[in-house]
Amino acid sequence: MAARRGPTGDMAGRAEARARGAAREAAPWVERLARWGYAAHGAVYVIVGLIAAQAALGQRGVTDQRGVFVEIIEQPGGKILLALLTLGLLGYAAWRFVEAALDPESDGSTKRALFALSGAIHVGLALTAARMVLGTAGGDGGSNASTWTGRALDVPAGRWLVGLAALGIAGYGVQQVVKAYRTELDRRLDLSPLSPSARTWAVRAARAGLVARGVVFVLIGFFLLQAARQRDPGETRGLAGALAALRGAAYGPWLLGLVALGLIGYGVSELLKARYRRIRPT
């Protein structure tokens, strides 16, 4: 006997049906936004990886996404390039929100939540880039993580909330490493136009990228856990802080160099997605 749906369930069903109908009508634009988004996302990671490789050689310091925006805007025509990158990041966020809302590829509820979080993060990155294009960015963007951690620690049970967030971030990092070796990475890529050797290297780049991101997320989670344990938001580290920690460890330049290569590989794999990924908006 089929279970009866209440008024709330009916409203949710109708809302989802309308959303799917709108997505079908907008499918060509959603796909374009997704591909542009993958390209922008990949470009940022390639630049972060290249800068990290230079840091491993002692030629400069590490940086994060905001540092990449600074690098771009200081180039000739940099504002135009950064404006295009901003639109790409918004496209990436929009695709993540579509994945979270409609689950077009049957990824499940856990991944849908992660897609929504990723979308929100990339909206924030896009807004940061947009403010730089408009000349309204101010302050040290690198302190945002510490600021938010400090606010979280001030609420009741804040240490537990921050600690759980730290474990979640570190767990996601571990999942990325496991995914690198257990997942068919080319399942959603149509790499048939590439030669067999190029396909092999594409998959290797993707695997190296997932491992590198996994290491970075584990480090970010570790530092966030330290912030919770010590009630000190200053212990929080973002991407640049995690890379700096690698450089300061034993055999740091070698470790940072390997992670830098992995981040470049991840960026390349995202660029390949922009061209070859099978995208189903509905």
Side-chain angles (χ1 to χ4, degrees):
M1 182 176 178
R4 292 185 178 181
R5 299 177 64 182
T8 302
D10 290 338
M11 290 177 62
R14 288 195 295 270
E16 184 172 349
R18 286 195 293 270
R20 290 188 180 278
R24 279 193 294 270
E25 292 180 7
W29 280 104
V30 172
E31 181 177 348
R32 292 188 188 103
L33 284 173
R35 295 195 186 283
W36 196 352
Y38 279 123
H41 193 233
V44 169
Y45 267 95
V46 167
I47 297 172
V48 168
L50 289 172
I51 292 173
Q54 291 178 309
L57 296 173
Q59 298 175 356
R60 59 170 303 161
V62 295
T63 193
D64 55 10
Q65 292 93 332
R66 189 180 188 278
V68 169
F69 301 158
V70 173
E71 292 280 337
I72 291 173
I73 206 166
E74 290 179 348
Q75 304 304 314
K79 282 196 172 185
I80 295 175
L81 292 174
L82 189 56
L84 293 174
L85 184 67
T86 300
L87 294 175
L89 291 172
L90 287 173
Y92 188 82
W95 170 237
R96 287 308 197 197
F97 286 136
V98 168
E99 289 182 299
L102 302 180
D103 196 16
E105 297 175 331
S106 301
D107 288 300
S109 57
T110 301
K111 282 194 174 182
R112 292 175 76 172
L114 292 174
F115 290 149
L117 178 60
S118 176
I121 290 172
H122 283 86
V123 167
L125 288 174
L127 291 176
T128 297
R131 286 195 294 268
M132 294 177 69
V133 171
L134 297 173
T136 59
D140 181 7
S143 67
N144 285 342
S146 296
T147 300
W148 283 107
T149 302
R151 292 174 181 173
L153 288 172
D154 286 338
V155 305
R159 291 180 68 186
W160 291 101
L161 293 174
V162 173
L164 287 173
L167 292 175
I169 291 170
Y172 177 74
V174 173
Q175 183 269 342
Q176 291 286 282
V177 175
V178 172
K179 180 181 177 182
Y181 292 100
R182 290 191 176 178
T183 305
E184 294 296 328
L185 298 177
D186 57 349
R187 180 167 58 92
R188 291 174 179 171
L189 293 176
D190 180 13
L191 298 178
S192 56
L194 301 180
S195 67
S197 60
R199 288 198 295 271
T200 298
W201 280 106
V203 173
R204 287 175 180 172
R207 292 192 191 281
L210 287 172
V211 172
R213 286 185 85 232
V215 169
V216 169
F217 276 105
V218 167
L219 285 173
I220 292 172
F222 169 78
F223 285 117
L224 188 58
L225 187 61
Q226 291 294 98
R229 289 180 62 250
Q230 300 177 21
R231 288 186 180 273
D232 181 6
E235 290 291 328
T236 310
R237 300 286 188 274
L239 173 59
L243 295 175
L246 278 174
R247 185 175 59 177
Y251 304 102
W254 290 100
L255 292 174
L256 181 59
L258 289 173
V259 170
L261 291 175
L263 293 176
I264 294 170
Y266 180 78
V268 169
S269 70
E270 292 293 281
L271 292 172
L272 287 172
K273 288 180 184 178
R275 175 64 180 86
Y276 297 115
R277 194 184 193 280
R278 300 180 183 94
I279 295 176
R280 298 187 306 163
T282 59

